[in-house]
Amino acid sequence: MLYCVSAAFIFAGVFGVSAIEVFTPAEVFVENGTTVTLSCSFKSRELISSSSSVTWSFLPEGEAVAFTSIFYYTGGKQFPGSVPQFESRVEWAGDMNKNDASIRVIQMQFKDNGTFSCDVKNPPDISGQMSFTKVRVVMKEALPQTSAAVIVGGVIGAVIGIIIIAVVTYLIIRRQEHSHDYRGCTSLESVSSQNTRVGKKAESSNDNSCCSSPSAPVQGPVIYAQLDHSGSKNSFHKMEPVVYADIRKN
């Protein structure tokens, strides 16, 4: 027994057998009637050669039987599997030189619900394990929102919120500026200002008053007199009224 184990390790060392890593998404939602690309990538420490191969298999949902091959690719050629429902509906969509082993399934149907497996071999990297993808075929309304859509929606909402806040802030500031630009005065301040404007420039009775007296001249006391045009004491007096107005300067 010991000799067998030693021989296995020697064989692995001579021929360079190593593990290959295969990656697929854990779950994929697909709209019914559309075409989907089932992604599969791999890592290998060996150069890709013509002997490398890719096998895709399918297990229907709710069944416990073994996986059945639906697609095989090697040496730049593709071969259909043995499942009738995928006949002429599966095509190669990868590039082995770029470590891409993806396939494309046309016209997805509800009966395609199930688990798909991707198995890659790149001799001498042949001991890796296959990777599995759970596929759910649903109506368009049942498709979950992608992370990209959520991010875009969040960014748009944030931008709209910032614009609304900026507009409201601007309107509030403008309203406050208008209220500061105009401050009315009371009738008491106006009367007090007029009473102090006698014989000189008007001065405000209150240093803090923001209201000035009217710019039009204010008429002062009126003196009435009569002129004598007769030239003598006994003659008939022709009297003409004369009005003297006190014209004040502004």
Side-chain angles (χ1 to χ4, degrees), residues 69-83:
S69 175
I70 63 171
F71 183 84
Y72 182 75
Y73 179 90
T74 186
K77 297 180 180 181
Q78 53 186 352
F79 304 91
S82 57
V83 181

Side-chain angles (χ1 to χ4, degrees), residues 33-236:
T34 62
T35 297
V36 63
T37 298
L38 299 181
S39 301
C40 178
S41 60
F42 62 93
K43 286 184 179 180
S44 176
R45 288 178 287 184
E46 301 295 329
L47 293 176
I48 305 299
S49 64
S50 59
S51 60
S52 60
S53 63
V54 177
T55 302
W56 277 88
S57 302
F58 173 70
L59 178 64
E61 186 175 16
E63 295 188 12
V65 297
F67 280 82
T68 305
S69 175
I70 63 171
F71 183 84
Y72 182 75
Y73 179 90
T74 186
K77 297 180 180 181
Q78 53 186 352
F79 304 91
S82 57
V83 181
Q85 75 182 64
F86 291 104
E87 185 177 357
S88 302
R89 293 177 52 215
V90 183
E91 58 187 21
W92 178 248
D95 187 344
M96 294 298 290
N97 293 324
K98 296 181 180 179
N99 296 350
D100 185 0
S102 304
I103 60 172
R104 188 164 34 249
V105 183
I106 304 171
Q107 198 74 21
M108 291 294 291
Q109 306 168 11
F110 291 117
K111 63 181 180 180
D112 296 334
N113 279 303
T115 303
F116 292 76
S117 67
C118 177
D119 187 18
V120 181
K121 304 296 183 184
N122 183 37
D125 288 353
I126 58 175
S127 60
Q129 295 184 350
M130 64 181 65
S131 185
F132 303 94
T133 296
K134 183 77 172 180
V135 175
R136 300 183 183 278
V137 182
V138 297
M139 298 298 293
K140 183 177 181 179
E141 296 76 12
L143 287 173
Q145 289 187 343
T146 62
S147 57
V150 173
I151 293 174
V152 171
V155 171
I156 294 175
V159 171
I160 294 176
I162 292 173
I163 293 175
I164 293 175
I165 293 174
V167 171
V168 172
T169 303
Y170 172 77
L171 293 177
I172 293 175
I173 293 175
R174 290 287 297 172
R175 185 174 182 180
Q176 290 178 349
E177 289 178 352
H178 284 304
S179 64
H180 290 163
D181 290 343
Y182 174 77
R183 292 176 57 191
C185 63
T186 62
S187 59
L188 181 59
E189 291 175 343
S190 179
V191 172
S192 175
S193 177
Q194 292 179 12
N195 290 337
T196 57
R197 294 171 58 91
V198 178
K200 59 180 180 179
K201 282 188 175 181
E203 296 178 356
S204 174
S205 62
N206 188 350
D207 292 340
N208 295 327
S209 175
C210 65
C211 180
S212 61
S213 61
S215 59
V218 179
Q219 183 177 357
V222 179
I223 301 174
Y224 293 90
Q226 290 182 340
L227 297 180
D228 184 359
H229 296 279
S230 62
S232 66
K233 294 181 179 180
N234 297 324
S235 62
F236 177 77

